[in-house]
Amino acid sequence: MSAPLYGLVLAGGRSSRMGEDKAALRAGGRTQLEQAMALLAPHVARAFVSVRKDQRSDPLRAGFEQIEDTRADLGPIAGIIAALERFPDSAWLVLACDLPLLDAATLEFLVRERAAERLATAFRSSHDTLPEPLCAVWEPASRAALAAYVARGKSCPRKFLSGADVHLIDEPNPRALDNANTPEEYAAAMNTRSEAPAAATRQVTVQYFALLREQAGRGTESLVTTARTPRELYAELAHRYPFTLDPAVVRVAINSEFGDWSAPLADGDSIVFIPPVAGG
């Protein structure tokens, strides 16, 4: 059986580049820490905030269950290790507190794609294809490997995942994991939030072939969706149907032309998902 899933929001950083506490910055009417904890809640049995020792009495962080770093000056990997040590039989859905564009659908997709037999499940960055360690599920088996990694004088969780037994998945929303480390980045993220229509819908026609046709139980359908790209649409449909194919092996066509998974969708578009053809 899979280990129970707990949640951890990493809020133990010093926010030196931002110049103020990133966890306390407000987005959508509440602080980034409160927003992250709310996103975690539907998926985990318990949720904690990762803190340094000197942050324990901070009023914002004191409102949540805390896990204190047991190693100093290691950055976010210290919070992950402390959580794994505190509850060694649990897996951890880990989030950074500085992801103002993270949406519920992205997190739901991550949890659904969790591979409990691997050390972790993480998104493949839409920017550089490397693993994204700060919106990922870390399994109990990663604890010993992380401890050994740190014992060798290393502290980068992304580099750890790059060389570990990790299940990598593509981001359904390529902007969801854009973090905000500086005032300029935060302002840009807030501008993106304000410009994006919260519930813009479009009617599209979707066609399925081969295995996807079998799994969807139909060859074509017309539907109304809030998906902005074929990648988001595929993730949305994968919640409805038992799709087993990773988007990396599926081709997408938009209005009879092969397209990009990140291309914007428009009302009236016709989308075709084409799985690999068996045989040779």
Side-chain angles (χ1 to χ4, degrees):
M1 292 180 61
S2 299
L5 189 60
Y6 283 6
L8 183 73
V9 175
L10 298 168
R14 300 184 184 279
S15 304
S16 55
R17 284 184 286 171
M18 182 65 70
E20 58 182 303
D21 185 5
K22 289 189 289 186
L25 292 174
R26 304 193 74 81
R30 50 187 166 184
T31 66
Q32 290 201 113
L33 177 55
E34 292 168 334
Q35 174 69 15
M37 294 295 282
L39 286 169
L40 281 178
H43 307 290
V44 300
R46 295 176 68 181
F48 299 81
V49 57
S50 170
V51 300
R52 303 188 314 269
K53 184 176 182 178
D54 61 300
Q55 293 175 316
R56 292 200 64 114
S57 60
D58 168 65
L60 175 60
R61 291 164 174 80
F64 303 100
E65 288 194 272
Q66 300 176 356
I67 293 182
E68 183 182 324
D69 290 351
T70 55
R71 293 164 171 81
D73 302 320
L74 285 183
I77 205 168
I80 299 170
I81 291 176
L84 287 163
E85 290 176 339
R86 174 88 170 269
F87 297 97
D89 296 325
S90 296
W92 289 88
L93 175 53
V94 174
L95 292 184
C97 71
D98 59 349
L99 300 173
L101 301 181
L102 181 62
D103 56 287
T106 294
L107 209 55
E108 289 167 6
F109 183 62
L110 171 63
V111 173
R112 188 179 65 81
E113 292 295 312
R114 176 189 174 193
E117 73 279 6
R118 314 289 282 275
L119 293 188
T121 301
F123 286 112
R124 183 184 292 108
S125 171
S126 60
H127 300 293
D128 57 18
T129 73
L130 294 174
E132 292 282 7
L134 306 187
C135 181
V137 176
W138 294 76
E139 300 295 337
S142 66
R143 178 168 63 96
L146 274 170
Y149 179 75
V150 169
R152 297 196 300 271
K154 302 179 183 297
S155 61
C156 177
R158 171 173 270 199
K159 290 181 179 178
F160 171 82
L161 290 182
S162 295
D165 180 23
V166 176
H167 177 47
L168 288 178
I169 56 178
D170 290 316
E171 300 175 43
N173 173 3
R175 297 295 308 278
L177 302 189
D178 289 358
N179 61 358
N181 289 311
T182 66
E184 293 75 21
E185 290 173 349
Y186 184 71
M190 292 300 97
N191 187 54
T192 297
R193 284 175 61 109
S194 64
E195 289 181 351
T201 61
R202 49 194 62 82
Q203 184 163 352
V204 298
T205 300
V206 184
Q207 288 182 275
Y208 310 100
F209 289 97
L211 178 61
L212 293 179
R213 183 188 182 110
E214 294 177 16
Q215 293 176 335
R218 66 199 65 201
T220 185
E221 66 178 318
S222 179
L223 54 88
V224 175
T225 178
T226 58
R228 295 166 293 181
T229 66
R231 189 181 304 282
E232 289 185 24
L233 178 59
Y234 189 85
E236 178 183 308
L237 292 167
H239 283 282
R240 185 182 309 173
Y241 306 123
F243 289 167
T244 56
L245 293 176
D246 188 287
V249 301
V250 177
R251 298 194 72 181
V252 61
I254 306 172
N255 300 326
S256 302
E257 295 185 2
F258 284 114
D260 186 89
W261 281 95
S262 299
L265 294 180
D267 192 53
D269 278 350
S270 177
I271 299 96
V272 183
F273 294 116
I274 308 167
V277 178

